[in-house]
Amino acid sequence: MKARRLGAVAVAATLALTMAACGSDKGGDSASGGGKGLKIGIKFDQPGLGLKKGSDFTGMDVDVAKYVAKSLGTSEGDITWVQAPSAQRETLLSTGQVDMVVATYSITDKRKEKVSFAGPYFIAGQDLLVRSNDSSITGPDSLAGKKLCSVTGSTSAQNVQKKVPGVNLQEFGTYSECVTALASGTIDALTTDDTILAGYAAQDQYKGKLKVVGQPFSTEKYGIGIKKGDTALCQKVTDAIKKMVSDGSWQKAVDNNLGPAGYKPGAGNPPTPDACS
Ligand code: GLU
């Protein structure tokens, strides 16, 4: 499993390099330049947030990314979408493989040591996804003796280990791997943001089979990751987020992307972005 994942990452990295070398990469010059292509890191496997289906990309993060790109002078067709698994996000930014990450990316002090953030543009909370016929898991306090799944490099994996010391946690590279394991019975619960969990529970193949517990136990402030210290870009992105909220596009994106799963944004939404520093 691990080798295969690393393989996929290597292939993606090589591809990115090859594209750049051939000059076919749309992700042009400095992101702050405007009017140029942008390479944007998103999730490819999170319905309602960042989902790749053929050559189509959908979700709240995709809509936020498109809106911000447009404000920077980049049209949709000049965006190169790059898969940004949780554990890869800081590296993708610091090596310049992407200009921005819009991928259910929580703003944390630890991450701020390596990257900068604009936002938050959304506030979610960590929850649990279980099989619908399982009434034994009602929150983080009932995880003793249960097999839990989350993703390497996520705040979800960190938070739950802090909250439930000694919890039996298996870490995969993506949440969709956890969902498959949950549906097949290999694990008992998946923990991450309620936004992500709602998207999986509403997928056709899992409808009626999986349920979100509904006891959020963290605050996840989604930011747009950029290269550390690019204050000029941070300011432009922050302005774009504010405008997205004030002109109604934020609410539209929420309704279109999270509405179908019955997800309602919790307290604090839409958030006011922090000042750039
Ligand atoms: N928002 C959390 C994080 O940034 C969990 C979701 C994710 O891994 O993308 O770690």
Side-chain angles (χ1 to χ4, degrees), residues 43 46 86 89 103-106 111 151 153-156 175 192-193 196 220 222:
K43 295 299 181 72
Q46 295 178 188
S86 297
R89 293 175 290 199
T104 57
Y105 198 12
S106 297
R111 288 172 179 164
V151 161
S154 68
T155 55
S156 319
Y175 296 106
T192 187
D193 305 338
I196 301 171
E220 305 298 319
Y222 291 174

Side-chain angles (χ1 to χ4, degrees), residues 51-272:
L51 187 69
K52 180 182 193 293
K53 220 178 184 185
S55 57
D56 243 33
F57 298 89
T58 57
M60 178 74 191
D61 283 342
V62 171
D63 283 354
V64 169
K66 283 182 188 168
Y67 191 99
V68 169
K70 199 171 176 194
S71 313
L72 295 173
T74 299
S75 60
E76 239 177 270
D78 288 327
I79 297 173
T80 303
W81 302 106
V82 178
Q83 185 170 19
S86 297
Q88 303 290 323
R89 293 175 290 199
E90 288 85 25
T91 307
L92 286 168
L93 282 167
S94 59
T95 55
Q97 288 179 77
V98 299
D99 300 302
M100 271 190 256
V101 167
V102 193
T104 57
Y105 198 12
S106 297
I107 302 172
T108 70
D109 288 342
K110 184 119 200 289
R111 288 172 179 164
K112 277 193 202 164
E113 290 169 12
K114 294 182 178 162
V115 301
S116 291
F117 287 98
Y121 63 89
F122 197 87
I123 299 179
Q126 183 168 352
D127 211 318
L128 293 158
L129 185 73
V130 298
R131 286 180 291 276
S132 297
N133 59 8
D134 186 345
S135 52
S136 65
I137 302 174
T138 52
D141 296 338
S142 48
L143 289 172
K146 304 291 184 186
K147 287 186 216 138
L148 185 64
C149 189
S150 197
V151 161
T152 315
S154 68
T155 55
S156 319
Q158 267 180 10
N159 291 341
V160 81
Q161 288 177 103
K162 223 182 252 169
K163 196 157 177 73
V164 190
V167 69
N168 183 357
L169 177 69
Q170 162 124 38
E171 292 180 47
F172 284 142
T174 60
Y175 296 106
S176 49
E177 290 173 85
C178 286
V179 180
T180 308
L182 176 62
S184 74
T186 321
I187 55 129
D188 301 311
L190 154 56
T191 189
T192 187
D193 305 338
D194 48 10
T195 43
I196 301 171
L197 301 179
Y200 289 129
Q203 273 189 310
D204 280 345
Q205 70 262 46
Y206 298 125
K207 247 187 207 149
K209 296 188 177 132
L210 304 177
K211 64 177 181 197
V212 182
V213 167
Q215 298 290 331
F217 55 94
S218 82
T219 303
E220 305 298 319
K221 297 180 175 180
Y222 291 174
I224 297 186
I226 57 171
K227 197 163 224 163
K228 187 172 164 65
D230 193 342
T231 318
L233 179 58
C234 177
Q235 197 52 62
K236 286 180 189 171
V237 175
T238 301
D239 292 345
I241 294 171
K242 284 184 179 161
K243 187 149 175 280
M244 186 173 185
V245 171
S246 67
D247 74 6
S249 304
W250 183 92
Q251 189 61 50
K252 228 192 227 161
V254 166
D255 293 346
N256 288 342
N257 296 298
L258 304 175
Y263 183 91
K264 295 223 164 36
N269 281 298
T272 304

